[in-house]
């Protein structure tokens, strides 16, 4: 299995648009496995290819709660497409492994339906609400080079970027 390192802002790959995969083959499955490992290690609930410096449209998620005795429930997607979004809005606090230790409330469509290719390359659909809805929209945003801080005022965004810069300097010491 590949060992991926998660990149953080202001890495340029986080601002780039990822490209569709042709098919979900063994190489893509190995990427999905490696991304899940990196996500579980972090730990986080979602990870997009851009965050491991790959620019293909692959994302992984797992919202299960192992500390509450729940079994892992990995969801792997290639070429995800939002085919429905509700007019109802949901506001939730979001964070991001590429923007460590920073959180802010983000407004998104409350319910979305996503069409994608699964781990086996089969077309599948997911209807999501609540945390899963925020998570899948957040990860699809990554594939389009969009971060949750892009929804904030520039003042708030710059504050967060400065805090991460400080944090990284501190960790490097
Ligand atoms: Ni993120």
């Amino acid at each position: 299995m590949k060992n991926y390192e998660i990149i953080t802002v202001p890495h340029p790959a986080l601002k780039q648009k990822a490209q569709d995969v042709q098919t979900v083959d063994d190489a893509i499955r190995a990427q999905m496995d490696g991304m899940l490992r990196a996500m579980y290690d972090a730990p986080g609930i979602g990870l997009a290819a851009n965050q491991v410096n790959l620019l293909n449209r692959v994302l992984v998620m797992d919202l299960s709660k192992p500390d509450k005795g729940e079994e892992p429930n990995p969801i792997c997607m290639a070429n995800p497409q939002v085919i429905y979004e509700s007019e109802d809005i949901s506001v939730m606090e979001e964070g991001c492994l590429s923007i460590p230790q920073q959180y802010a409330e983000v407004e998104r469509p409350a319910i979305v339906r996503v069409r994608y290719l699964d781990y086996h390359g089969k077309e599948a659909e997911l209807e999501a609400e609540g945390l899963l809805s925020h998570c899948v929209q957040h990860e699809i945003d990554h594939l389009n080079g969009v971060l949750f801080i892009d929804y904030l005022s520039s003042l708030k965004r710059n504050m967060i970027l400065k805090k991460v810069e400080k944090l990284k300097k501190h960790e490097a010491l």
Side-chain angles (χ1 to χ4, degrees):
M1 195 186 297
K2 285 177 188 157
N3 251 331
Y4 292 122
E5 205 165 302
I6 297 173
I7 59 174
T8 55
V9 284
H11 195 296
L14 295 170
K15 301 301 290 177
Q16 281 176 277
K17 196 173 154 81
Q19 301 301 311
D20 275 342
V21 304
Q22 293 297 320
T23 56
V24 179
D25 55 14
D26 286 345
I28 296 295
R29 274 186 283 278
Q31 179 184 336
M32 287 168 166
D33 291 339
M35 285 172 60
L36 278 169
R37 154 96 66 91
M39 181 188 80
Y40 290 134
D41 282 352
I45 59 170
L47 193 67
N50 303 51
Q51 295 179 275
V52 293
N53 202 11
L54 294 173
L55 290 173
N56 57 10
R57 298 184 82 77
V58 172
L59 66 84
V60 297
M61 302 183 290
D62 191 335
L63 275 68
S64 64
K65 299 189 182 77
D67 51 323
K68 290 188 178 152
E70 291 180 19
E71 291 294 313
N73 182 28
I75 301 173
C76 300
M77 295 185 172
N79 303 349
Q81 254 185 311
V82 176
I83 55 169
Y84 165 80
E85 52 185 43
S86 67
E87 278 173 37
D88 280 3
I89 295 295
S90 161
V91 180
M92 248 187 211
E93 193 167 73
E94 295 188 14
C96 181
L97 294 174
S98 294
I99 313 172
Q101 297 173 40
Q102 311 303 314
Y103 304 90
E105 285 194 335
V106 180
E107 224 177 74
R108 297 187 186 274
I111 299 171
V112 290
R113 197 174 305 133
V114 178
R115 184 174 292 156
Y116 61 98
L117 299 175
D118 69 12
Y119 189 82
H120 305 288
K122 268 202 189 144
E123 196 170 276
E125 279 184 22
L126 173 80
E127 185 163 293
E129 62 180 321
L131 182 59
L132 182 60
S133 178
H134 275 260
C135 187
V136 73
Q137 292 180 73
H138 175 122
E139 302 312 330
I140 291 173
D141 271 354
H142 272 301
L143 301 178
N144 293 323
V146 174
L147 303 170
F148 82 86
I149 54 174
D150 295 332
Y151 295 107
L152 311 177
S153 68
S154 59
L155 186 77
K156 236 180 169 180
R157 178 166 58 249
N158 288 333
M159 258 171 53
I160 287 179
L161 289 171
K162 268 190 200 140
K163 278 189 194 162
V164 173
E165 198 186 322
K166 252 192 199 168
L167 210 71
K168 284 164 81 169
K169 254 187 213 155
H170 192 74
E171 277 172 5
L173 289 178

